[in-house]
Amino acid sequence: MKTLAAQVITPEDLLKHWQGHRALTRRVIEAFPEKDFFEFSIAGMRPFAKLADELLAIAVPGLKGIVTKETKPFAEDSEKLVFKAQYLEKWDQATAEINEYWQKLSIEDFNENFNLFGQYEFPVIQNILYFIDNEVHHRGQGYVYLRALGIEPPFFWER
Amino acid sequence: MKTLAAQVITPEDLLKHWQGHRALTRRVIEAFPEKDFFEFSIAGMRPFAKLADELLAIAVPGLKGIVTKETKPFAEDSEKLVFKAQYLEKWDQATAEINEYWQKLSIEDFNENFNLFGQYEFPVIQNILYFIDNEVHHRGQGYVYLRALGIEPPFFWER
């Protein structure tokens, strides 16, 4: 039997933390005007819809890979979404799927190495923190887009 | 004696995670041309120097408050820094101070409530995750500034 080192956050609280961030990103998607969500960009960076594609391609596929120990390569969905409402629907499906897959993680899993997308060999906890950080990072970009569009973004601390 | 719930990240790894993000933010500061660091802005948002002021006013003062259990109000430094080199120096001092204060945190502390800056009453772990998230969020903003200035930002995954 392994002894666990003293650690500082429970799986439940980490899931809540992640889903809190995802709820905020959902509000950022909602805040974009339909057209700007797909088209607005600064300095040739991706529009927010493209960033949302990336976030959707990481969250459930990444977590599913961790749980099933399958290392499928990273791939954005080939089904092209053309309305914001479709993104919001897919976002909500992902929220539910994350909650389901999360229940299949054991406490030991978090410290096991996993080769995410067959490319990033790190402990699971680091993979999951990366999912969150990457979302916060791109959402920060979305905040600048909204401001540049003259739109007040949601409060950062509202989750 | 309290039983600790099964948890997923050690204090050492969380510190490494935070300092990894801080190292990346330092590279973002370095990437700005001197003048733009203080002046460049999009849509009236704060220039990156002002964001760095906020990050510096949160990291050490916040962690110090947690360790000493003193709830001083949030305040940005009244000493005005006017060169990027001064920011980098202060950043490095903060890096060392964070490492020192961190050693004074016990494993139990992370789940204790603390009224950060006399204003945010949450478990310490949530306060610390907030420090990190807030930095990633504002740094994401900095990435857009750099791109808008025609400068390639550092790789997000380099820590």
Side-chain angles (χ1 to χ4, degrees):
Chain A
M1 199 176 132
K2 265 196 254 180
T3 311
L4 289 169
Q7 312 212 356
V8 298
I9 189 170
T10 62
E12 292 70 28
D13 283 349
L14 185 59
L15 174 62
K16 214 169 132 188
H17 180 71
W18 187 12
Q19 293 286 27
H21 273 302
R22 294 188 68 262
L24 177 58
T25 305
R26 192 187 193 283
R27 280 196 285 279
V28 170
I29 295 173
E30 281 185 301
F32 273 91
E34 185 77 28
K35 189 174 186 305
D36 294 318
F37 179 64
F38 293 95
E39 296 178 9
F40 185 80
S41 144
I42 291 176
M45 299 179 93
R46 286 172 287 175
F48 206 70
K50 282 278 170 211
L51 298 175
D53 284 337
E54 180 187 307
L55 300 177
L56 286 165
I58 288 176
V60 172
L63 184 59
K64 186 178 170 186
I66 288 168
V67 167
T68 61
K69 304 192 196 299
E70 272 182 57
T71 56
K72 278 197 192 166
F74 175 79
E76 289 182 10
D77 210 329
S78 54
E79 177 205 8
K80 200 167 152 46
L81 308 180
V82 293
F83 298 109
K84 232 177 63 174
Q86 295 173 307
Y87 277 86
L88 293 173
E89 197 187 327
K90 197 167 171 190
W91 200 264
D92 294 339
Q93 283 167 5
T95 302
E97 287 180 63
I98 289 167
N99 287 340
E100 278 172 39
Y101 283 119
W102 196 265
Q103 302 315 318
K104 299 182 180 156
L105 286 174
S106 75
I107 191 76
E108 288 82 10
D109 287 337
F110 288 90
N111 292 300
E112 299 287 334
N113 266 19
F114 178 68
N115 192 14
L116 185 71
F117 301 125
Q119 223 182 331
Y120 310 99
E121 175 89 35
F122 292 109
V124 163
I125 177 65
Q126 284 189 35
N127 282 328
I128 291 168
L129 290 176
Y130 189 88
F131 299 168
I132 300 172
D133 293 343
N134 183 59
E135 177 162 342
V136 177
H137 173 72
H138 284 312
R139 193 180 55 213
Q141 185 175 338
Y143 271 62
V144 185
Y145 288 6
L146 288 175
R147 289 276 182 203
L149 288 164
I151 294 164
E152 177 95 16
F155 291 121
F156 179 63
W157 56 86
E158 261 184 16
R159 302 288 158 83
Chain B
M1 201 178 130
K2 266 198 257 183
T3 310
L4 288 169
Q7 312 213 351
V8 298
I9 188 170
T10 63
E12 292 70 29
D13 284 348
L14 184 59
L15 174 63
K16 213 169 134 191
H17 181 70
W18 186 13
Q19 293 286 28
H21 273 301
R22 294 188 69 263
L24 177 57
T25 305
R26 192 187 192 284
R27 279 197 286 279
V28 169
I29 295 172
E30 280 184 302
F32 274 91
E34 186 77 28
K35 190 176 185 307
D36 294 317
F37 179 65
F38 292 96
E39 296 178 9
F40 184 79
S41 146
I42 290 175
M45 298 179 94
R46 286 173 287 174
F48 206 69
K50 282 279 170 210
L51 298 176
D53 285 337
E54 179 186 307
L55 300 177
L56 287 165
I58 288 176
V60 172
L63 184 59
K64 186 179 171 188
I66 287 167
V67 167
T68 62
K69 303 194 196 296
E70 272 182 57
T71 56
K72 279 198 192 164
F74 175 80
E76 290 183 8
D77 211 328
S78 54
E79 179 205 8
K80 200 168 150 49
L81 309 179
V82 294
F83 298 111
K84 230 176 65 173
Q86 295 174 305
Y87 276 87
L88 293 172
E89 199 188 326
K90 198 168 170 190
W91 200 265
D92 294 338
Q93 283 167 5
T95 302
E97 287 180 64
I98 289 166
N99 287 340
E100 278 172 41
Y101 283 118
W102 195 267
Q103 302 315 317
K104 298 182 180 158
L105 285 174
S106 74
I107 190 76
E108 288 82 10
D109 287 338
F110 287 91
N111 292 299
E112 298 287 333
N113 266 20
F114 177 67
N115 192 13
L116 185 73
F117 300 125
Q119 224 183 327
Y120 310 99
E121 175 89 33
F122 292 109
V124 163
I125 177 65
Q126 285 189 33
N127 283 327
I128 291 168
L129 290 175
Y130 189 88
F131 300 167
I132 300 171
D133 294 341
N134 184 59
E135 178 163 340
V136 177
H137 173 72
H138 285 312
R139 193 180 56 215
Q141 185 176 339
Y143 270 63
V144 185
Y145 288 7
L146 288 175
R147 289 277 181 200
L149 287 164
I151 295 163
E152 177 96 16
F155 291 121
F156 180 63
W157 57 87
E158 261 183 17
R159 302 287 156 85

